[in-house]
Amino acid sequence: MKRSKLTSVILAVACLLLITGCQRNHNTTQEPWSVRMIKSEMKRSPQGWMLNFSKDLSWNYCHGLVCSAMLEAASQYNEKSFYNYVKQYADTMVLDNGTIIGYRPDACNLYGITAGRILFPLNKKEQKQKYLSALHHIRNQFSIHPRTSEGGFWHKSITTSQIWLDGVYMALPFYVEYARTFEEPDIYNDAILQLLLIRKYLYNETSGLYYHGWDESRQQQWVDSTGKSPHVWGRSMGWFAMGLVDVLDFIPDDHPQWEEVMTIYQDLMQALVKAQDQKSGAWYQVMDQPTGKGNYLESSASCMFTYALLKGIRKGYLPESYREYAYKAYEGVIKQFITINKDQTLSITQCCEVGGLGGKPYRDGSFEYYIQIPRRVNDPKAVGSFILASLEMEKLSN
C-alpha cells in the first residue's frame, strides 16, 4: 500500500470526485447524508426511546449509538432539533436522583453502559445534577463488573469468563471519557488492559482480523482449543474498530502505552482494507469466508469500518494512502445499502439483526449461524454508524 505522496493525492482527489458524483446522482437534496438520515430516523421514531423499534422505554446500546451520532451532528451543523431530541430522551430515562430507567449496574451487562455517553455533552451544557449523578451511577458498574483471571471484563454476568469484541464499543469509550472528565488516570491503564487482552486472545496472526469471542473457561460448545469462537463476524469487528478509534480520543498521547493502542488500531485498519470487497467497497457478514455460500455484504459492519477509517484519516492516525479505501467504502455504502423512499426519507438495508454466542436457543458461532440471522431495514446499528461515517466524510470533504 506504499505510494508516493503525489500519487496518493491524485487518488484522493479522484475518489472524492467519484463520491461527489455518486452523491449528486443519488442525493436529490442539498442536505448532507447525515442530516437526511437523522431527519428520516426522527420521523420514524418521534421520541428517542422509540429507536430500535422499541415499544416501551428502553436504555439500550442502540439508542446510545444513534443518539451519540445525533449529538455529533447537532454540534457539527448547529442543529438544535437534534440536540433537543436527545435531551428529551435523556430526560425521559434519567430520574432526578440519577438512576436510569431500565439500567442496573449490578446486572453487569456491558450493553447498558453505551447510552451513558450522551450524558457527557448534556451534563457539560445543562449542568443538571441528575446527569452528573447518572454518570457516576454508570461508572460504579466498572468497580463490580466480573472479570477474567487477568482482569478482562466479562461481556455479561451470564456470559461467564467470556470476552467479546462487541464490548470494546459498549464500555471503553464511556470509561475513558469518564477518566478524562473526572480525572481518574488509573482508568486509562484498565481500559488499555482490555484492549491488550483482546489482542492476546482474539487476534488471528495470519489475517490480522479478530474472532468474535473468547472463553477463558473453555466450557462453551463454540470454542476451539484456545478458547476462540470459530469465525470473524463483521459487526463484532465493527464494534471493535469504532471503539478503538473513539478510545484514542481520550487516552493521553503521553501515556506510556499510547503507542501500543495506536498499533492495534493501525494494524486493524490494514487488515480491514485487505478484507474489503474490491468490487463494492463494502465488507461481508462473515469476513473470514467471503466466498462462502449465502454470505452477503452487510451494512452495519461496512458503515462501522468506513467510520473507523475516515476518522483515522482525519485525526492523522493513518497515512493518506488509506483515503482511497475509505472513500471507496463510503461510496459502496451509498450504492449498496441506501435507498430513498417515496416520502424522500432515507432507509438503509441489509443489516444483520442481532448476533451472539451461546444462550438459548444456542448460538454456536458457525458460518451457518451468522448467515441465517434475519436482516432488517433501518436497524439502528446501521443507521447510527451510517450517520457517524457520513459526518466524518462531510468533515473531510469540506
Side-chain angles (χ1 to χ4, degrees):
M1 289 184 289
K2 293 183 178 179
R3 296 185 175 89
S4 69
K5 185 175 181 180
L6 178 60
T7 302
S8 295
V9 170
I10 293 171
L11 286 168
V13 172
C15 288
L16 181 57
L17 291 172
L18 183 62
I19 287 180
T20 303
C22 174
Q23 290 176 320
R24 286 173 179 167
N25 292 334
H26 202 58
N27 189 353
T28 57
T29 78
Q30 296 301 308
E31 288 187 318
W33 287 109
S34 63
V35 172
R36 291 193 68 186
M37 183 59 84
I38 291 173
K39 289 182 175 179
S40 300
E41 195 65 7
M42 289 171 67
K43 186 173 183 178
R44 288 187 285 265
S45 301
Q47 295 189 52
W49 64 265
M50 298 176 179
L51 295 167
N52 197 31
F53 313 100
S54 299
K55 303 300 182 185
D56 301 298
L57 297 182
S58 177
W59 183 260
N60 182 280
Y61 69 97
C62 292
H63 297 72
L65 171 62
V66 176
C67 287
S68 293
M70 288 181 173
L71 286 176
E72 183 67 24
S75 175
Q76 190 162 319
Y77 292 111
N78 193 28
E79 180 51 64
K80 291 183 179 179
S81 66
F82 299 166
Y83 178 87
N84 290 337
Y85 180 93
V86 178
K87 182 178 179 297
Q88 182 185 46
Y89 171 63
D91 285 340
T92 299
M93 302 303 297
V94 180
L95 304 181
D96 288 341
N97 65 358
T99 58
I100 301 166
I101 296 172
Y103 169 71
R104 288 175 40 225
D106 59 357
C108 295
N109 185 333
L110 295 182
Y111 291 120
I113 294 169
T114 320
R117 294 180 70 184
I118 68 175
L119 299 174
F120 289 107
L122 291 175
N123 179 59
K124 185 176 181 179
K125 184 170 183 178
E126 304 295 332
Q127 296 291 298
K128 282 189 176 184
Q129 180 60 43
K130 73 173 190 175
Y131 295 155
L132 182 63
S133 298
L135 285 166
H136 297 326
H137 187 52
I138 296 170
R139 162 65 180 93
N140 289 339
Q141 179 176 333
F142 293 95
S143 299
I144 61 174
H145 198 90
R147 297 170 180 251
T148 66
S149 63
E150 294 172 281
F153 294 135
W154 293 7
H155 192 61
K156 307 176 187 178
S157 60
I158 60 172
T159 55
T160 307
S161 302
Q162 296 168 41
I163 296 175
W164 295 9
L165 282 183
D166 317 40
V168 172
Y169 185 82
M170 303 307 160
L172 296 191
F174 175 93
Y175 202 25
V176 292
E177 187 166 3
Y178 188 96
R180 173 73 64 87
T181 304
F182 298 105
E183 298 183 352
E184 277 199 52
D186 288 346
I187 286 177
Y188 299 129
N189 300 331
D190 197 19
I192 292 170
L193 172 65
Q194 308 307 313
L195 298 174
L196 295 178
L197 290 173
I198 284 172
R199 175 69 178 239
K200 180 177 180 180
Y201 290 114
L202 292 169
Y203 184 62
N204 181 301
E205 294 282 352
T206 303
S207 67
L209 303 175
Y210 289 72
Y211 296 100
H212 185 180
W214 175 74
D215 175 18
E216 182 179 37
S217 71
R218 313 290 199 275
Q219 296 299 306
Q220 291 297 313
Q221 298 172 30
W222 45 259
V223 302
D224 64 11
S225 60
T226 68
K228 296 183 183 70
S229 60
H231 289 292
V232 177
W233 178 38
R235 188 156 68 235
S236 68
M237 282 278 294
W239 291 128
F240 183 43
M242 289 207 305
L244 261 176
V245 77
D246 285 359
V247 161
L248 286 167
D249 286 339
F250 299 102
I251 296 177
D253 57 12
D254 61 354
H255 190 283
Q257 292 176 294
W258 163 265
E259 289 296 336
E260 288 183 81
V261 179
M262 181 61 72
T263 297
I264 292 173
Y265 167 74
Q266 291 173 336
D267 287 350
L268 178 62
M269 295 303 102
Q270 184 177 38
L272 287 180
V273 299
K274 289 180 180 178
Q276 185 178 27
D277 179 57
Q278 294 302 303
K279 183 177 180 181
S280 67
W283 283 267
Y284 280 92
Q285 164 77 341
V286 184
M287 296 178 64
D288 56 332
Q289 290 195 16
T291 60
K293 185 177 181 180
N295 207 356
Y296 62 94
L297 298 171
E298 200 276 332
S299 60
S300 66
S302 296
C303 291
M304 291 172 177
F305 297 150
T306 303
Y307 167 73
L309 284 164
L310 289 169
K311 185 172 180 178
I313 293 165
R314 178 176 63 84
K315 299 276 285 189
Y317 303 153
L318 298 173
E320 279 296 308
S321 58
Y322 277 76
R323 194 178 288 255
E324 65 169 301
Y325 301 102
Y327 284 2
K328 183 176 182 178
Y330 189 72
E331 178 196 4
V333 165
I334 298 291
K335 287 185 175 181
Q336 293 288 326
F337 309 121
I338 298 299
T339 61
I340 300 176
N341 305 311
K342 290 182 179 180
D343 63 357
Q344 294 304 298
T345 59
L346 299 184
S347 286
I348 186 164
T349 63
Q350 290 292 94
C351 180
C352 168
E353 186 176 1
V354 178
L357 295 165
K360 295 180 181 180
Y362 197 81
R363 299 167 295 183
D364 64 2
S366 65
F367 176 83
E368 291 72 22
Y369 160 69
Y370 287 116
I371 63 170
Q372 60 78 39
I373 298 171
R375 304 173 216 176
R376 293 201 296 194
V377 176
N378 296 325
D379 187 293
K381 296 177 282 293
V383 170
S385 52
F386 174 75
I387 294 167
L388 288 173
S390 296
L391 289 168
E392 289 297 331
M393 188 69 197
E394 289 149 20
K395 288 173 186 175
L396 285 170
S397 300
N398 290 332

